[in-house]
Amino acid sequence: MMHAQLKRAAAVCVLALLLLIPAAIRHTRQQAAGRLPTVSVRQAREDTPYIKIGVYASLTGYASQLGGMGQQGIRLAVEDVNSSGGIKGKEIRLIEYDDQTSGQAAVSAVQKMIEEDRVDAIIGSHTSGNIIQTSQLTEQAHILQIGLGTSYIWTDVGKKYLFRAVANSKYFDELLLSAMERQGGRRIGIFYSDTEYAESGAEHMVSLIAEQPEMELVWMKSHKIDQVDYTQVFTGLMYMNVDSLVLYTSSENAALQLRQLRQAGFQGEVYAPESFANSEVRRAAGTAAEGLVYACGNSIPDAPLEAVTSEERSFLIKFIRRYGTMPVAETAYRGYDALMILAEAMNRADSLESDDVLAALLSIDNYKGIGGTFDFTDGTGDGLRTARLFRVVNGKPALFTVKKQR
């Protein structure tokens, strides 16, 4: 008992020291968010022949590939809904903006959607830091926002109009910890980028490790999101006798990190959240990805026949017909599910007033999407309570089974 208490105390000290700079970064972001503009409460437009859905996505900047994939998923869902009669007979029209992977640009886009475009609901972004800032505007305006980011820090925090159309990252972390337990991880390292998502994920993983008597956090480093040379930091890692390394990074950096990590001589197990669910990342990583374990809501397979569920397979077939190729990032799944869930709520609602659509969304308890079976009835904003774990075997993602999720 005394050993466990000392271990937890040591972990707290490590967390406080190693996350001091990211905490300052978050404080600065929160201060900036506190200076957001004021917007008016939305008034429903019942007399119009169409429904306007605002979309903001990272179409430029470091996360542009993910944003572009999400946009394609949303557009495909709109085509499906409109071809089936729309929402209460009304056609959906998208109002789309590029948030430039920037919180400031995201806030400007959402303000414009609310005040000038007068949208009926909003989808975006897959960048969690942007969602945190823009949700203050959508809460003021009483407009439903369905976010596409996975970071656990923006749901179940008292936001009335904010929901998520993908698995919560806390389930990814719990699955990764279970995988480390299964594979005998003892000396753990964490490498994470200076983004809201990666910082919060690293903090959560530290807290989980602190509760494991057989595990010890022995190494933890952060990096700038635009960094491309990790040689020096990985050389230092080699002296720490780490047997299990967790990577919290973007899909744009993931393959490069993994290749440089193996080139530095690291032979231990590597774990990551959804950055490796991107099929192009796994291909770019090549043999360096062999044995990698990653957690996510969905992982893009090489072909529709390799899909995990019938919903995923059906979506992939439609995506190929529409765009001529497979999606490379599972943000396409998130975008499709978000629009379809929103359409389901609007079709159920007594009117297009925000609170009526909100009540309808909170009644959804068995909606089968690509990401899983959604249930929003608990009011937290999260519709999914599970995630999936994959291991790269012979270059392909294979479902990886661990003990039941915590």
Side-chain angles (χ1 to χ4, degrees):
M1 177 67 71
M2 182 62 69
H3 174 73
Q5 291 174 339
L6 290 173
K7 183 175 181 292
R8 281 193 292 271
V12 170
C13 291
V14 169
L15 177 61
L17 290 171
L18 294 176
L19 296 183
L20 181 60
I21 294 177
I25 293 171
R26 280 193 300 280
H27 179 65
T28 300
R29 290 173 180 165
Q30 290 165 359
Q31 285 184 322
R35 297 191 293 268
L36 291 176
T38 299
V39 293
S40 301
V41 175
R42 169 185 176 263
Q43 299 297 317
R45 302 171 304 106
E46 295 287 356
D47 58 338
T48 61
Y50 54 86
I51 292 172
K52 290 199 283 189
I53 305 298
V55 176
Y56 67 107
S58 300
L59 304 178
T60 57
Y62 73 85
S64 59
Q65 184 184 69
L66 301 184
M69 283 286 106
Q71 184 185 56
Q72 286 185 317
I74 293 169
R75 289 176 175 177
L76 183 55
V78 168
E79 291 176 8
D80 282 353
V81 172
N82 285 344
S83 65
S84 299
I87 296 172
K88 298 182 183 297
K90 295 184 177 184
E91 178 185 282
I92 296 176
R93 293 187 183 179
L94 294 180
I95 308 297
E96 300 171 293
Y97 290 96
D98 177 11
D99 70 23
Q100 304 169 36
T101 322
S102 157
Q104 183 177 357
V107 167
S108 296
V110 170
Q111 182 183 11
K112 186 174 182 181
M113 285 190 280
I114 293 170
E115 295 187 330
E116 297 180 24
D117 301 318
R118 298 184 62 201
V119 298
D120 297 301
I122 292 174
I123 296 175
S125 168
H126 76 276
T127 305
S128 290
N130 292 354
I131 296 170
I132 292 169
Q133 293 197 41
T134 61
S135 64
Q136 297 188 54
L137 296 180
T138 51
E139 289 292 303
Q140 285 181 38
H142 297 185
I143 290 180
L144 260 69
Q145 177 174 190
I146 300 186
L148 307 182
T150 61
S151 179
Y152 71 94
I153 59 178
W154 55 267
T155 46
D156 198 16
V157 292
K159 299 287 187 182
K160 182 177 180 180
Y161 297 95
L162 184 60
F163 295 83
R164 190 195 309 268
V166 63
N168 187 313
S169 68
K170 69 180 180 181
Y171 299 119
F172 304 165
D173 298 333
E174 292 169 358
L175 283 171
L176 292 175
L177 186 76
S178 295
M180 283 190 276
E181 288 179 317
R182 170 178 166 175
Q183 300 197 123
R186 295 292 182 267
R187 294 177 60 83
I188 314 301
I190 298 176
F191 191 50
Y192 64 102
S193 67
D194 61 344
T195 63
E196 196 82 41
Y197 167 77
E199 289 164 3
S200 60
E203 287 186 51
H204 188 221
M205 182 58 75
V206 168
S207 68
L208 294 176
I209 292 170
E211 297 298 323
Q212 304 306 308
E214 301 299 323
M215 292 183 182
E216 182 181 3
L217 179 64
V218 298
W219 185 87
M220 189 170 182
K221 296 287 183 182
S222 67
H223 66 88
K224 296 292 185 183
I225 190 62
D226 58 355
Q227 185 174 339
V228 295
D229 186 354
Y230 311 97
T231 305
Q232 185 174 357
V233 68
F234 288 156
T235 299
L237 167 67
M238 297 305 296
Y239 294 98
M240 298 305 298
N241 195 27
V242 169
D243 59 47
S244 303
L245 181 66
V246 187
L247 299 177
Y248 287 96
T249 189
S250 70
S251 60
E252 287 77 10
N253 297 342
L256 185 62
Q257 283 185 11
L258 193 53
R259 291 200 309 269
Q260 291 186 23
L261 180 66
R262 294 308 190 192
Q263 288 167 3
F266 184 75
Q267 298 299 316
E269 303 291 346
V270 182
Y271 303 87
E274 76 266 32
S275 53
F276 285 91
N278 183 325
S279 57
E280 282 192 351
V281 173
R282 297 193 305 272
R283 283 191 284 271
T287 56
E290 194 66 19
L292 169 83
V293 175
Y294 62 96
C296 56
N298 292 90
S299 180
I300 299 293
D302 290 339
L305 287 176
E306 298 175 7
V308 174
T309 66
S310 59
E311 289 79 13
E312 181 184 21
R313 186 177 303 110
S314 175
F315 170 79
L316 291 173
I317 292 170
K318 287 191 291 187
F319 192 95
I320 292 170
R321 287 174 181 166
R322 174 64 177 82
Y323 298 109
T325 185
M326 285 275 289
V328 297
E330 46 78 42
T331 47
Y333 295 176
R334 305 183 202 179
Y336 187 89
D337 276 345
L339 193 287
M340 297 301 286
I341 289 167
L342 188 55
E344 175 71 14
M346 287 181 165
N347 271 318
R348 290 188 184 194
D350 294 334
S351 76
L352 290 179
E353 292 286 350
S354 290
D355 284 349
D356 284 344
V357 180
L358 171 64
L361 182 52
L362 288 170
S363 75
I364 294 175
D365 63 355
N366 192 33
Y367 179 83
K368 290 188 177 180
I370 307 168
T373 301
F374 289 84
D375 181 344
F376 292 102
T377 57
D378 69 356
T380 64
D382 279 312
L384 296 174
R385 304 289 179 273
T386 60
R388 296 183 177 99
L389 196 63
F390 292 86
R391 190 168 190 266
V392 179
V393 179
N394 296 324
K396 291 181 177 291
L399 284 171
F400 190 60
T401 304
V402 295
K403 295 177 182 178
K404 67 178 182 178
Q405 201 165 293
R406 286 170 172 72

